[in-house]
Amino acid sequence: MATSNGGGYRNGGLKAAAKERSLSLNSNNKSSSLKSKPSVNSGGVRRNSTGSLGGTVKDSDAGVDYVFFDIVPGRVRVAVRLRPRNTEELAADADFADCVELQPELKRLKLRRNNWDSDTYEFDEVLTEFASQKRVYEVVAKPVVESVLDGYNGTLMAYGQTGTGKTYTLGRLGEEDTAARGIMVRAMEDILAEISLETDSVSVSYLQFFIRTTRVLHHHVQLYMEMIQDLLDPTNDSISIMEDPKTGDISLPGATVVEIRDQRSFLELLRLGEAHRFAANTKLNTESSRSHAILMVHVKKSVKGRDSGFSGENGNTAHMTRTSKPPMIRKGKLVVVDLAGSERINKSGSEGHTLEEAKSINLSLSALGKCINALAENSAHVPVRDSKLTRLLKDSFGGTARTSLVITIGPSPRHRGETASTIMFGQRAMKVENMLKIKEEFDYKSLSRRLDIQIDTLIAEHERQQKVFQDEIERIAVEAQKRIAEAEGNYADALEKERLTYQKDYMESIKMLEEQWALKLEKQADVRNKLGTKDDGFCNPPSGEVAFSAGEVAEVKKLLQNETLMRKAAEEEANNLRSQLMQWKRSEAAGNSEILNLRKMLEDEARQKEKFEEEIAILQSQLLQISFEADETRRNLDKGGTAKVPSSLDSLISQVRHPHLKDSANGEKASIAKLFEQGDAKLFSGSSKIYCCLCSFFLINSCTSTVGLQKILSLLEAEDPDVRIHAVKVVANLAAEETNQQKIVEAGGLMSLLTLLRSSEDETIHRVAAGAVANLAMNETNQELIMAQGGIALLSETASNAEDPQTLRMVAGAIANLCGN
């Protein structure tokens, strides 16, 4: 018998790893066996698999875009659960051993043929009779529930003989004992704990599948009609099955859908559904389910971090702009299937209507078994349309759902045949490959509704603000009118008060003048009486006195005007002084900030100066070391020995050859010429420091050292054009001596010179390289090499492109030496 090693999650410990792109499952699990090894299809996409390998499907009716990510293969996982012996089996089978032996640590099950021989099977999980409901949920259902929360479809199914604990495993409510809660209750607890009721939703449909038999009158013909009844609305017993031609999703448009907000409402829904489910009393089970129960849980969960938030009632226009992106949601569907138990009529004792129900149950289970057999054998045709049950479970076996199957068995040896049939059903189911697919939606309808609400809110807010604005304008206008009236009244009162004051002053002045006039008249009368003159000569006051009084009034008015002008000038002066004081304060603040910036710059300059002083000290020490080594080398040369190249000069040559490897503190490229300009005058002198450096380096290597010549020739390929020019000059000077010509040719100098003539565009390099070739051409052997390597053509091309007469002389000399043979 075939056994299959299960992979993937174990003991509920491995969480669904892929949140957006894939779900990690071991789809390449190889089928192993202890007796025989039939082939297991663990390959790619089945021919009848729904969906596509990623992409977007537009649903114009629903107003959403379905975004499918990469499809991931995943095998149907199967767990076996053993029911403990009941009271009848303890009495009837007391002298017999159990027909099965479980090895949960090895995930194996042994089905005894007799006392000596047994068949061994392997499953993904093996649960003993002592396994708790929590343990069963964690290893069978929890990974599927987590996948549904991540946007995948999931299926949980129980299959087995009547009375082996399928309904107990799936639909136990646990009202008396919470530890006995089944998979349905525990799954809803986890779903409600992971979603947000503000942005997410959970809806449930509860159905039962049964077959109604009808006997035709006057004919021995019996018709079987498959029916799907809504357990939440028992009057609705003719629900049709619809399949989306675009996505392949199965839906039940006539089923009641209830939105779940808390665990209590879900338990009430389960109680209502269980009350309407068909059940009967048989010999194998006192409450045997006579229909297949299907619980469908639709989970709609928003994708955090990828959905633009929507503003509330107090949102603004800028936030409304951000809401133009449609919300991203994931929709997962959890299908929990409690299959009616398979049974044999002679053992269950069914008769009458119960017998007909048993036949219909076995008929639908037989159709399901045929589909699983075809999928396990990778058949080209899978008879999914033979039954409504198989159509409903099309996505669970060979589709896009993540499926976990728990098969329940009993220990009694009397039911070994049913136990073996259940085990073989699970073994075939383990060979079925599903292609898991995550689905995300762009919910444009939800976006439209939210935007409409937001627009209405903004319109209402705008109207409210407009009304407030109009009320404010009216209030300001009334207040302004009131203030104007009050100001006019105050002005009139002040004007009247001022007029009365001036009139009083005027009257007092007139009275005073009249009194003065009367006194003057009395004085004049006295004077006339004394002088004896006539009164007629003193009837009118003297004109000089009247003019004198008018002049005093004019002078007083003039003084008053001067005082007024002076007061205005003083006020303007004070305002100017205040503005100047404010400008001085701002200038002082700006000066203080400028002083702080200058101080900071001064500190930075001081630090930079210290850094440069340290670098100068390091460079001075290096130059002293180079000078010392040069003196030592000079002494060795004077003695006639072969000097070793100083390490410092070698490092400088490497710097010349690869200037991009140098590290400069201030970011500038420190050339070898600048370094030598700071060196010892005894060692480095002449018009070109780089040239002196190269000459000194070559002299130190005694001109006969192959290593020194190779270094000089390597400088012909330096990146610095000045270095290449001086290197060519050194090679030309060396080629002037006959003893060095052969060494230069052997070291590849001739090839390097011809390459420079061909590739370089610098006429100075052309001139010096032509001179070096001219020196090498004095040797007959070298003449043949130059001719063979196309030297004549290169020299001719150089002459045609030359503009400097000196370059033409060098090229002519080289050609003359070549023609001298």
Side-chain angles (χ1 to χ4, degrees):
M1 296 299 174
T3 65
S4 179
N5 291 324
Y9 46 88
R10 179 174 297 178
N11 300 334
L14 180 60
K15 189 175 176 66
K19 295 297 180 183
E20 293 190 8
R21 294 296 299 171
S22 64
L23 185 68
S24 177
L25 276 177
N26 294 334
S27 62
N28 296 326
N29 293 327
K30 296 181 179 179
S31 175
S32 61
S33 175
L34 299 177
K35 292 190 175 184
S36 63
K37 299 182 178 179
S39 61
V40 178
N41 177 28
S42 59
V45 182
R46 294 185 50 80
R47 284 175 297 218
N48 61 332
S49 298
T50 59
S52 60
L53 293 178
T56 302
V57 178
K58 176 72 176 179
D59 189 347
S60 58
D61 298 333
V64 296
D65 282 345
Y66 296 99
V67 181
F68 297 111
F69 287 84
D70 294 341
I71 295 179
V72 180
R75 177 177 58 78
V76 175
R77 294 182 51 80
V78 181
V80 59
R81 187 181 191 185
L82 177 64
R83 171 185 59 78
R85 289 193 177 192
N86 54 30
T87 304
E88 180 185 356
E89 292 172 348
L90 289 174
D93 300 333
D95 298 333
F96 299 95
D98 293 346
C99 66
V100 292
E101 177 185 353
L102 303 184
Q103 296 176 343
E105 65 280 356
L106 299 178
K107 299 187 179 181
R108 291 178 180 176
L109 178 148
K110 291 186 177 180
L111 178 64
R112 291 191 177 93
R113 294 182 179 178
N114 47 48
N115 293 334
W116 303 277
D117 194 9
S118 62
D119 296 330
T120 303
Y121 302 90
E122 290 187 359
F123 290 93
D124 295 307
E125 291 291 343
V126 176
L127 303 169
T128 65
E129 64 272 24
F130 306 107
S132 64
Q133 291 281 75
K134 180 180 180 181
R135 163 77 174 167
V136 175
Y137 172 75
E138 288 180 348
V139 302
V140 175
K142 189 171 183 178
V144 178
V145 174
E146 291 174 348
S147 300
V148 172
L149 291 171
D150 290 333
Y152 295 89
N153 290 341
T155 302
L156 299 172
M157 182 184 297
Y159 179 90
Q161 183 188 7
T162 298
T164 54
K166 299 182 297 300
T167 303
Y168 176 83
T169 300
L170 294 180
R172 186 77 171 183
L173 299 182
E175 295 176 339
E176 298 83 3
D177 183 11
T178 57
R181 290 170 299 163
I183 287 177
M184 291 181 182
V185 179
R186 294 177 184 269
M188 183 57 65
E189 288 178 354
D190 285 354
I191 290 174
L192 292 176
E194 290 293 330
I195 68 171
S196 173
L197 296 179
E198 296 179 357
T199 58
D200 307 332
S201 65
V202 179
S203 57
V204 171
S205 299
Y206 202 9
L207 314 167
Q208 70 173 349
F209 172 86
F210 65 96
I211 298 180
R212 178 176 294 169
T213 58
T214 303
R215 191 178 299 276
V216 181
L217 296 177
H218 307 295
H219 295 279
H220 297 287
V221 178
Q222 193 170 16
L223 300 179
Y224 290 87
M225 182 180 298
E226 296 177 322
M227 309 294 292
I228 299 177
Q229 184 181 31
D230 192 344
L231 290 176
L232 304 181
D233 183 13
T235 59
N236 186 9
D237 59 356
S238 60
I239 299 175
S240 60
I241 299 175
M242 300 292 292
E243 182 175 356
D244 193 336
K246 296 179 181 179
T247 62
D249 291 341
I250 301 296
S251 60
L252 302 172
T256 302
V257 179
V258 179
E259 186 172 355
I260 301 299
R261 306 294 295 179
D262 52 26
Q263 188 70 10
R264 179 183 298 179
S265 61
F266 178 68
L267 292 177
E268 293 177 357
L269 183 144
L270 289 182
R271 293 192 195 97
L272 179 62
E274 290 298 326
H276 295 148
R277 190 176 178 187
F278 298 152
N281 185 5
T282 65
K283 291 182 180 180
L284 298 178
N285 191 358
T286 58
E287 295 182 358
S288 176
S289 301
R290 313 309 294 170
S291 63
H292 308 302
I294 300 175
L295 177 70
M296 304 179 71
V297 182
H298 300 271
V299 180
K300 182 185 292 186
K301 188 176 181 182
S302 61
V303 182
K304 295 181 179 180
R306 300 177 61 184
D307 183 12
S308 298
F310 290 90
S311 62
E313 294 182 357
N314 297 325
N316 52 27
T317 306
H319 194 68
M320 185 183 69
T321 304
R322 294 195 295 271
T323 63
S324 60
K325 180 180 179 181
M328 179 72 72
I329 59 174
R330 288 179 177 174
K331 294 183 66 175
K333 181 176 68 174
L334 176 63
V335 179
V336 183
V337 184
D338 182 10
L339 296 174
S342 61
E343 59 184 53
R344 293 187 179 180
I345 307 302
N346 58 350
K347 292 185 179 181
S348 64
S350 301
E351 58 184 9
H353 181 68
T354 307
L355 176 62
E356 299 299 330
E357 288 177 339
K359 291 180 180 179
S360 63
I361 290 171
N362 291 336
L363 183 63
S364 61
L365 293 177
S366 175
L368 178 61
K370 290 179 181 179
C371 290
I372 291 180
N373 288 340
L375 291 170
E377 295 173 0
N378 199 19
S379 175
H381 172 68
V382 180
V384 293
R385 296 189 174 273
D386 290 354
S387 170
K388 288 187 177 181
L389 177 63
T390 55
R391 289 188 66 191
L392 280 175
L393 300 179
K394 177 182 178 182
D395 194 45
S396 304
F397 293 96
T400 62
R402 183 176 187 177
T403 303
S404 286
L405 171 67
V406 54
I407 59 174
T408 57
I409 60 176
S412 176
R414 291 180 297 161
H415 305 301
R416 185 190 178 281
E418 289 81 353
T419 302
S421 176
T422 301
I423 292 173
M424 293 309 300
F425 181 87
Q427 288 289 297
R428 288 190 293 270
M430 291 178 67
K431 300 178 183 179
V432 177
E433 289 282 342
N434 290 351
M435 305 306 295
L436 309 183
K437 178 176 62 179
I438 189 173
K439 182 174 71 175
E440 291 185 346
E441 293 183 358
F442 294 112
D443 194 350
Y444 293 106
K445 278 194 173 182
S446 174
L447 175 64
S448 177
R449 289 193 299 270
R450 295 187 182 185
L451 289 178
D452 289 341
I453 294 172
Q454 194 173 40
I455 290 172
D456 294 339
T457 303
L458 291 176
I459 291 174
E461 180 67 17
H462 175 71
E463 292 177 352
R464 186 186 66 82
Q465 291 181 359
Q466 190 73 15
K467 186 176 182 302
V468 171
F469 181 70
Q470 292 294 339
D471 295 342
E472 185 70 15
I473 290 176
E474 293 177 0
R475 186 187 65 80
I476 292 173
V478 171
E479 186 176 356
Q481 291 292 338
K482 182 179 179 181
R483 288 185 179 181
I484 289 172
E486 184 179 355
E488 288 179 350
N490 293 336
Y491 177 74
D493 294 341
L495 186 61
E496 183 65 21
K497 186 177 179 181
E498 190 72 19
R499 188 182 67 78
L500 293 174
T501 303
Y502 286 148
Q503 186 176 3
K504 182 180 179 181
D505 292 342
Y506 174 74
M507 295 302 293
E508 290 178 355
S509 299
I510 293 298
K511 184 178 181 181
M512 187 180 296
L513 289 173
E514 287 178 351
E515 290 176 356
Q516 291 177 0
W517 175 251
L519 290 174
K520 288 181 179 181
L521 288 178
E522 289 179 359
K523 289 179 180 181
Q524 289 177 3
D526 292 341
V527 171
R528 270 198 319 266
N529 292 331
K530 289 179 180 181
L531 296 176
T533 59
K534 292 181 180 181
D535 293 336
D536 295 338
F538 298 95
C539 290
N540 294 324
S543 61
E545 292 181 1
V546 177
F548 177 75
S549 299
E552 286 181 353
V553 173
E555 185 176 359
V556 170
K557 289 182 179 180
K558 186 175 182 181
L559 290 174
L560 182 59
Q561 291 178 358
N562 292 335
E563 288 294 333
T564 304
L565 293 175
M566 290 175 65
R567 183 174 61 82
K568 291 182 179 179
E571 290 178 355
E572 293 179 358
E573 184 93 12
N575 292 332
N576 292 333
L577 291 175
R578 289 193 191 97
S579 62
Q580 290 179 7
L581 181 60
M582 294 299 295
Q583 290 179 0
W584 289 341
K585 288 183 178 180
R586 286 194 292 269
S587 300
E588 184 179 0
N592 292 334
S593 62
E594 187 71 20
I595 290 172
L596 291 176
N597 292 333
L598 291 175
R599 287 179 180 174
K600 188 179 294 184
M601 292 174 61
L602 185 60
E603 293 175 358
D604 294 341
E605 290 293 334
R607 286 194 295 270
Q608 193 72 12
K609 180 180 178 182
E610 292 177 357
K611 185 176 180 181
F612 287 158
E613 288 177 352
E614 292 177 359
E615 293 179 356
I616 290 171
I618 294 172
L619 291 174
Q620 288 178 350
S621 62
Q622 291 179 355
L623 288 174
L624 290 174
Q625 181 66 23
I626 292 172
S627 178
F628 175 76
E629 292 176 355
D631 292 339
E632 185 68 22
T633 304
R634 190 180 296 107
R635 286 194 293 270
N636 291 337
L637 288 173
D638 294 339
K639 294 178 181 180
T642 301
K644 182 179 179 181
V645 180
S647 60
S648 59
L649 284 177
D650 199 0
S651 65
L652 288 174
I653 292 299
S654 65
Q655 290 179 3
V656 173
R657 189 180 308 152
H658 303 288
H660 62 277
L661 298 176
K662 294 179 291 184
D663 183 16
S664 177
N666 57 1
E668 296 179 356
K669 181 172 124 176
S671 65
I672 189 66
K674 292 182 180 179
L675 292 175
F676 278 99
E677 286 176 358
Q678 301 173 4
D680 190 357
K682 295 186 295 182
L683 179 62
F684 306 112
S685 61
S687 60
S688 177
K689 302 302 179 184
I690 298 177
Y691 182 72
C692 293
C693 175
L694 296 174
C695 292
S696 300
F697 172 74
F698 192 81
L699 291 174
I700 290 171
N701 286 273
S702 302
C703 297
T704 58
S705 172
T706 305
V707 176
L709 184 58
Q710 288 289 347
K711 290 187 176 182
I712 290 296
L713 294 177
S714 65
L715 292 178
L716 295 175
E717 301 175 359
E719 297 180 2
D720 193 340
D722 294 335
V723 174
R724 291 200 302 270
I725 292 172
H726 293 299
V728 174
K729 290 180 180 180
V730 171
V731 174
N733 292 333
L734 292 175
E737 298 183 8
E738 187 175 357
T739 56
N740 297 330
Q741 293 177 358
Q742 186 65 25
K743 294 179 181 179
I744 293 173
V745 173
E746 292 176 354
L750 179 58
M751 181 63 68
S752 298
L753 292 172
L754 295 177
T755 301
L756 281 177
L757 286 175
R758 183 181 297 107
S759 61
S760 178
E761 298 179 357
D762 192 340
E763 189 162 355
T764 304
I765 293 179
H766 289 171
R767 182 176 65 254
V768 180
V773 172
N775 292 337
L776 293 175
M778 292 187 295
N779 189 305
E780 295 182 0
T781 305
N782 297 339
Q783 294 173 0
E784 296 177 358
L785 292 174
I786 294 171
M787 297 287 288
Q789 295 180 6
I792 289 293
L794 285 175
L795 291 172
S796 301
E797 183 179 355
T798 301
S800 63
N801 296 330
E803 297 179 357
D804 189 2
Q806 189 66 23
T807 304
L808 294 176
R809 294 192 192 96
M810 292 295 180
V811 173
I815 295 175
N817 291 339
L818 288 173
C819 297
N821 185 8

